[in-house]
């Protein structure tokens, strides 16, 4: 019986170690996914801000060009 009990303990410990390893891998994957998500959100917000600033700059140039055109037409 003692040998059989030792084998059961060994198998139980092996299963426990496999489960702990799997949990550790899942936590690491979760950290990587969270980091990737944050990076994607940062990229998205940076791209949005660049597009917004570019649009505002274009609008400013269009207004200036329109005002210049109106001044030329008046003269």
């Amino acid at each position: 019986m003692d040998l059989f009990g030792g084998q059961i303990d060994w198998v139980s410990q092996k299963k426990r170690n496999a489960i702990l390893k799997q949990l550790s891998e899942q936590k690491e994957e979760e950290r990587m996914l969270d980091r990737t998500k944050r990076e994607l959100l940062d990229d998205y917000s940076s791209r949005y801000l660049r597009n917004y600033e570019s649009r505002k700059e274009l609008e400013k140039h269009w207004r200036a060009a329109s005002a210049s055109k109106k001044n030329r037409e008046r003269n």
Side-chain angles (χ1 to χ4, degrees):
M1 278 289 199
D2 192 27
L3 179 62
F4 181 70
Q7 289 176 339
I8 290 177
D9 290 342
W10 180 78
V11 169
S12 296
Q13 185 62 37
K14 192 170 181 178
K15 286 182 181 181
R16 190 175 305 115
N17 288 342
I19 290 170
L20 290 173
K21 182 180 177 186
Q22 184 180 17
L23 285 173
S24 175
E25 290 171 354
Q26 286 177 348
K27 286 181 182 179
E28 180 61 26
E29 287 175 8
E30 183 179 6
R31 281 191 293 271
M32 289 188 323
L33 288 172
D34 285 341
R35 185 175 59 239
T36 301
K37 180 181 177 181
R38 280 193 309 275
E39 289 172 356
L40 287 172
L41 288 172
D42 288 345
D43 288 346
Y44 174 76
S45 62
S46 295
R47 187 171 47 243
Y48 176 83
L49 185 58
R50 278 194 313 273
N51 287 340
Y52 175 80
E53 290 171 349
S54 177
R55 185 173 61 247
K56 287 298 178 185
E57 192 67 25
L58 285 172
E59 289 173 359
K60 183 175 113 180
H61 289 296
W62 290 333
R63 278 194 296 277
S66 177
S68 176
K69 182 179 177 185
K70 286 180 182 179
N71 284 337
R72 282 194 310 267
E73 290 174 351
R74 285 184 197 153
N75 296 330

